[in-house]
Amino acid sequence: MKKNQQFITEITGTGSQGEGVARIENMAVFVPYALLGETVKVHIVKALKNYAYGKLIEVIKPSPHRTEPKCSVFYKCGGCSMQHADYRYELQFKTNHVSDCLKRIGGIDTEVLPCIPSPETEHYRNKGQFAVTKDGIGFYSQRSHNLVDSNSCLIQKEICSEIIGIIREYMKTNNVPPYDEETHTGKIRNIFIRHLSGGTMVCITVTDENLPNLTDLTKELVTLGAASVMLNINNKRTNVQLGEQFIPLYGDETLKDTIGDIEFKVSPNSFYQINSKQTEQLYKYAVSLAGLTGNETVFDLYCGIGTIGLFASKYAKKVIGVEIVEKAVENARNNALANGITNAQFLCGKAEDVIKDIGKADVVMLDPPRKGCDDKLLKTVKEIAPKTIVYISCNPATLARDLKTLKGYGYCIDTVQPFDMFPRTFHVECVVKLQR
Ligand code: SAH
């Protein structure tokens, strides 16, 4: 197979990012935006030894699940990847994807329950991080640093568009230049917006705090409804969005949210699940899987601001949470205090190091970032030998790898339940219960 060849072919599989996969001349050809079951014309854009990438030229026989994307920049923006299919197709893809990863990476052939739909599939994101460059304000296109300028987004809260509008106008009127990563010059790098039940927080990442007319800008944002406005200073040559220093311009440095009957306060640099309504269902499910009777010691590893542990604390004897980000641990401790929870304790450090010194647990909850759990951590979990492990994962590939390890340590997989936490994107969350 060579670059620039064209084929008419059937899509017989899906890739990890929801793209269609065809088999041509015994090679897997990945075709973004093609759906399972479709007959399509593809143009080969890259041919490697065992697989190739094709561009969708024409849909000859469309899938009954094909839909018209609602967003005008869908085919350019790297934010969403499933707007060209209906929601049933998306949920089925997510269920299948988890099942494929477990088989292919983990060698685990087990039932995967149907992915639980999100209560909202549009404007569900409670956090938006918008890049600011000479090309405008928006998100990057897939696998690139090309910005797609846009005024609205189908999955962000509607208030984000208005906030971005105000900041665009402010930059124009006051001649405030965007940051340029090549020359390391300019002022505004990013806009971080969090919208929770306690209101909206706007945090503008800048190279330094010397900006004109900040009072007017703040006033406008507050008039629009912002509960908190702050600057974040980041003058490093880095892709990391938030720097360490925050300068409050208005309101509190933390934002409130309520999940179930617990109230949480969140700092801008603390992790917080981005789909609030689905999070409540996910946490309830995860805690119910733990089968708590009130006598258990529960470890909540990778605990963030303590959400899962605090949810579980009502049904357990004692909860110990471990988290690496200091501010998040401070949030977790304050959240326990504010909710009158006295049987939960939170420790700061790497879970893989701290876990060695905190004794035994009956239940271990694991909720690592995309890269999954450290090998050292899984080994220590084996020594602690909890009866039940509940693993919450946002990456089916690392989940499958870690489940394989835990299987080798004598655990069997009891339930695999995907949750759609990120509608219209290829990302999928998954809750797994393991028993010793
Ligand atoms: N359980 C929380 C957070 C999950 S996200 C919730 O549902 O909100 C994963 C968390 O792991 C993040 O807060 C991140 O800061 C933290 N983290 C990343 N690496 C870690 C490590 N090695 N040890 C402990 N925490 C870590």
Side-chain angles (χ1 to χ4, degrees):
M1 184 174 295
K2 287 202 185 82
K3 193 176 162 177
N4 292 333
Q5 271 183 298
Q6 290 198 350
F7 298 92
I8 289 177
T9 183
E10 196 189 333
I11 300 296
T12 53
T14 42
S16 60
Q17 307 208 342
E19 68 275 47
V21 182
R23 283 218 84 87
I24 307 174
E25 295 176 356
N26 242 341
M27 294 247 285
V29 181
F30 294 90
V31 191
Y33 307 117
L35 300 177
L36 191 65
E38 290 188 325
T39 305
V40 296
K41 187 187 216 178
V42 293
H43 183 106
I44 304 300
V45 288
K46 193 173 184 180
L48 298 155
K49 208 168 145 217
N50 299 316
Y51 59 95
Y53 292 100
K55 187 171 179 223
L56 180 64
I57 300 292
E58 189 190 340
V59 181
I60 295 167
K61 192 188 116 225
S63 159
H65 298 287
R66 184 166 278 279
T67 55
E68 197 51 47
K70 280 195 184 170
C71 171
S72 62
V73 294
F74 169 65
Y75 290 110
K76 288 192 224 149
C77 177
C80 294
S81 48
M82 302 297 294
Q83 279 192 42
H84 59 312
D86 63 24
Y87 195 45
R88 249 180 70 196
Y89 180 96
E90 182 179 332
L91 291 172
Q92 190 63 54
F93 155 71
K94 289 178 178 178
T95 309
N96 294 349
H97 179 49
V98 171
S99 176
D100 286 351
C101 284
L102 293 188
K103 275 190 206 126
R104 199 166 37 81
I105 302 166
I108 298 162
D109 197 355
T110 188
E111 185 195 6
V112 173
L113 296 169
C115 186
I116 294 183
S118 171
E120 294 167 320
T121 57
E122 294 176 7
H123 306 295
Y124 63 85
R125 277 193 68 100
N126 63 31
K127 181 184 89 170
Q129 275 174 295
F130 299 83
V132 183
T133 76
K134 63 180 182 344
D135 297 320
I137 301 180
F139 302 113
Y140 292 111
S141 63
Q142 253 180 45
R143 286 181 286 267
S144 89
H145 240 57
N146 301 328
L147 190 105
V148 180
D149 185 69
S150 174
N151 252 340
S152 64
C153 174
L154 187 75
I155 61 174
Q156 298 289 347
K157 298 286 176 197
E158 285 93 340
I159 195 170
C160 291
S161 311
E162 294 170 78
I163 293 168
I164 301 296
I166 289 176
I167 296 174
R168 272 185 209 276
E169 201 47 47
Y170 163 79
M171 289 174 72
K172 207 163 95 189
T173 318
N174 294 282
N175 263 323
V176 176
Y179 176 68
D180 181 333
E181 60 182 2
E182 265 158 44
T183 55
H184 194 53
T185 55
K187 289 274 185 191
I188 299 192
R189 299 174 74 131
N190 270 293
I191 302 162
F192 171 103
I193 302 168
R194 212 173 230 160
H195 179 88
L196 304 174
S197 59
T200 306
M201 171 183 280
V202 184
C203 175
I204 307 171
T205 301
V206 292
T207 47
D208 65 63
E209 71 226 72
N210 302 318
L211 293 168
N213 282 327
L214 277 178
T215 324
D216 291 347
L217 173 65
T218 307
K219 226 186 246 166
E220 268 198 77
L221 292 170
V222 172
T223 308
L224 180 70
S228 153
V229 182
M230 60 179 89
L231 293 181
N232 171 260
I233 310 292
N234 181 359
N235 195 22
K236 291 201 181 125
R237 277 201 131 121
T238 164
N239 276 340
V240 177
Q241 301 198 337
L242 288 179
E244 271 156 35
Q245 192 193 352
F246 291 88
I247 301 177
L249 299 176
Y250 179 83
D252 283 346
E253 271 187 71
T254 54
L255 199 57
K256 255 193 225 163
D257 200 25
T258 309
I259 308 182
D261 53 6
I262 305 183
E263 204 177 85
F264 295 100
K265 276 191 176 178
V266 196
S267 294
N269 45 0
S270 295
F271 174 90
Y272 196 63
Q273 297 284 357
I274 55 94
N275 182 341
S276 297
K277 287 193 181 150
Q278 185 70 317
T279 298
E280 182 168 349
Q281 302 203 61
L282 178 105
Y283 287 166
K284 279 190 180 148
Y285 181 78
V287 171
S288 76
L289 279 188
L292 301 172
T293 62
N295 295 317
E296 295 82 3
T297 296
V298 178
F299 288 173
D300 175 11
L301 306 180
Y302 310 91
C303 69
I305 63 162
T307 40
I308 297 172
L310 293 176
F311 247 75
S313 63
K314 229 199 228 173
Y315 312 100
K317 190 167 86 190
K318 186 171 123 191
V319 170
I320 302 178
V322 184
E323 161 64 42
I324 200 168
V325 173
E326 226 169 276
K327 264 279 174 208
V329 177
E330 189 187 312
N331 290 158
R333 287 176 183 151
N334 289 334
N335 288 332
L337 265 177
N339 288 283
I341 295 168
T342 51
N343 60 340
Q345 178 191 351
F346 294 94
L347 306 170
C348 187
K350 285 187 180 169
E352 56 272 29
D353 297 338
V354 175
I355 187 183
K356 289 197 245 69
D357 311 316
I358 52 176
K360 291 276 180 193
D362 306 289
V363 175
V364 169
M365 317 277 286
L366 300 169
D367 186 9
R370 288 187 61 75
K371 70 173 186 198
C373 295
D374 193 277
D375 257 347
K376 233 171 40 188
L377 178 122
L378 294 178
K379 249 188 220 134
T380 313
V381 168
K382 176 190 167 196
E383 281 155 30
I384 293 170
K387 196 170 139 246
T388 305
I389 299 173
V390 179
Y391 192 134
I392 301 163
S393 156
C394 57
N395 183 349
T398 54
L399 170 70
R401 180 201 66 198
D402 292 349
L403 290 184
K404 187 177 177 183
T405 306
L406 288 167
K407 254 188 98 180
Y409 290 163
Y411 281 86
C412 63
I413 292 154
D414 179 280
T415 322
V416 182
Q417 176 64 71
F419 273 79
D420 189 21
M421 196 67 130
F422 316 99
R424 306 342 247 140
T425 77
F426 62 82
H427 293 284
V428 54
E429 191 88 6
C430 198
V431 185
V432 178
K433 175 178 175 178
L434 299 111
Q435 294 276 58
R436 188 160 53 109

